[in-house]
Amino acid sequence: MTILLTGVSSGIGLATARLLLEAGHQVYGTVRKPADAEQLARYPAFSALIMDVTHRASIKAALQVIADAGQPLHVVVNNSGIAVSGPLETIAEPDYRRQFEVNVFGTLAVCQEALPLLHAARAAGEENVKIVNVSSVSGYVTAPFTSLYSSSKFAVEAITDGLRRELDPFGIDVVSVAPGPVKTPIWDKAKGQTKAFEGTRYEYILEKLDPYLESTARSAIPVATVARKIKEVVEAHRPRPDQLVMNKGWMVRIARQLPKRLQDKLFLKNIEANRRY
Ligand SMILES: NC(=O)c1ccc[n+]([C@@H]2O[C@H](COP(=O)([O-])OP(=O)(O)OC[C@H]3O[C@@H](n4cnc5c(N)ncnc54)[C@H](OP(=O)(O)O)[C@@H]3O)[C@@H](O)[C@H]2O)c1
């Protein structure tokens, strides 16, 4: 199969690209810095594309390269993403806009630009044509202080469900793969994000933040587990459309059915000791 996979510079994208290439697929992997593509250069079936998902022109240019190659495009995996944390009350406008620009509007823009090629593949008789969106457990439930990231992944879930229903008549499937915490550089990138807490009424959270991130990182699943799930979903005909990839994922599926006040209690356990009123 021919697959477009965004964000192969590190983490889930890099591991998934390797796995798909080793399985014999042709992978167009996107990076923002050309040097990041060198890690995959030894695979003859790998082609690097330069793409920033927040720049429409760069998405168009990348898709044009695939169109010019003349092979059908079977699958798009929207993996690029960032995690912005902080209290919703204080998070700065450029930061909250960036969260949505990358995770939501970037995903949508890649879908829009790639869909003509996916429709063309169907018209040429290709089977198993689909979009796979990398969402998150944060697209199922909302933890405090990563609520903005969560809202972006809830949007990714809605885009996934909506697109699947809109594209069903055209024989194009759309599914999401939602990992729980995974050992990737995204955690280190999140570590320095203290601006939204400092000097605000939420400063007391800061002392808990690094230990929390560290303990989450410790309980995180290996990146290879997520890569295997994405490969499985890419290759499967009509896979389950909402794939939650984490230990005890069933607990999350139950938790999100609970009454909201009960869900609050689960999330507020740690904050309770610091109640301010
Ligand atoms: N790690 C987790 O615990 C976890 C859990 C659930 C879901 N996820 C999701 O999994 C996906 C991959 O994350 P990861 O954990 O593998 O993190 P990562 O190692 O930081 O990878 C993120 C990828 O997205 C790319 N990216 C960021 N901004 C971009 C932009 N404007 N345009 C194009 N590409 C951009 C990055 O490229 P650069 O190197 O150029 O920045 C990188 O290749 C994300 O959607 C994330 O939300 C991660």
Side-chain angles (χ1 to χ4, degrees):
M1 299 170 90
T2 301
I3 299 150
L4 168 63
L5 169 58
T6 66
V8 299
S9 68
S10 63
I12 294 169
L14 178 59
T16 304
R18 286 198 174 114
L19 206 60
L20 291 169
L21 287 159
E22 275 155 20
H25 298 294
Q26 186 185 355
V27 176
Y28 288 92
T30 80
V31 289
R32 291 191 294 171
K33 296 185 288 295
D36 286 335
E38 282 163 20
Q39 313 168 82
L40 295 165
R42 69 186 176 89
Y43 296 98
F46 173 71
S47 308
L49 299 172
I50 304 300
M51 183 195 289
D52 184 326
V53 299
T54 65
H55 293 147
R56 193 79 176 204
S58 87
I59 303 174
K60 279 186 192 294
L63 265 300
Q64 194 57 51
V65 172
I66 303 177
D68 290 346
Q71 300 294 326
L73 177 66
H74 299 97
V75 181
V76 176
V77 181
N78 281 301
N79 165 72
S80 285
I82 58 169
V84 176
S85 57
L88 287 172
E89 183 176 345
T90 57
I91 208 153
E93 183 170 352
D95 296 335
Y96 68 66
R97 288 197 181 281
R98 179 121 196 105
Q99 179 69 91
F100 270 66
E101 286 298 341
V102 177
N103 291 14
V104 183
F105 307 134
T107 295
L108 180 59
V110 171
C111 290
Q112 288 186 338
E113 294 299 334
L115 270 165
L117 288 185
L118 298 180
H119 284 294
R122 285 295 292 137
E126 296 295 328
E127 299 285 340
N128 210 1
V129 174
K130 65 168 80 87
I131 295 173
V132 179
N133 292 328
V134 178
S135 169
S136 168
V137 63
S138 301
Y140 284 51
V141 286
T142 309
F145 310 116
T146 51
S147 319
L148 181 67
Y149 175 68
S150 235
S151 57
S152 77
K153 293 299 188 179
F154 269 72
V156 169
E157 287 293 328
I159 287 171
T160 304
D161 289 344
L163 264 182
R164 187 175 58 258
R165 292 159 196 168
E166 291 171 13
L167 292 170
D168 182 80
F170 305 103
I172 298 172
D173 201 6
V174 187
V175 303
S176 93
V177 172
V182 191
K183 292 187 178 92
T184 74
I186 210 167
W187 293 99
D188 296 329
K189 294 176 193 171
K191 254 190 170 172
Q193 289 181 23
T194 53
K195 262 197 338 256
F197 296 91
E198 281 158 7
T200 77
R201 70 181 89 245
Y202 300 96
E203 198 152 27
Y204 74 100
I205 295 291
L206 275 181
E207 67 192 51
K208 296 165 181 270
L209 206 60
D210 279 355
Y212 170 74
L213 286 175
E214 275 154 27
S215 84
T216 310
R218 272 197 304 277
S219 71
I221 56 173
V223 76
T225 308
V226 184
R228 274 198 302 275
K229 178 57 74 178
I230 295 174
K231 174 178 170 287
E232 182 190 309
V233 165
V234 162
E235 292 171 346
H237 286 265
R238 288 183 74 79
R240 179 179 177 145
D242 56 338
Q243 303 270 350
L244 189 55
V245 196
M246 63 183 291
N247 297 325
K248 300 188 182 153
W250 57 271
M251 284 173 77
V252 173
R253 290 195 192 276
I254 291 174
R256 71 168 171 169
Q257 306 299 331
L258 294 174
K260 293 283 183 182
R261 298 282 181 204
L262 207 51
Q263 291 188 40
D264 294 349
K265 281 209 167 73
L266 298 175
F267 282 114
L268 285 169
K269 257 190 340 229
N270 294 331
I271 299 172
E272 207 62 15
N274 294 285
R275 193 170 276 285
R276 287 298 194 258
Y277 58 88

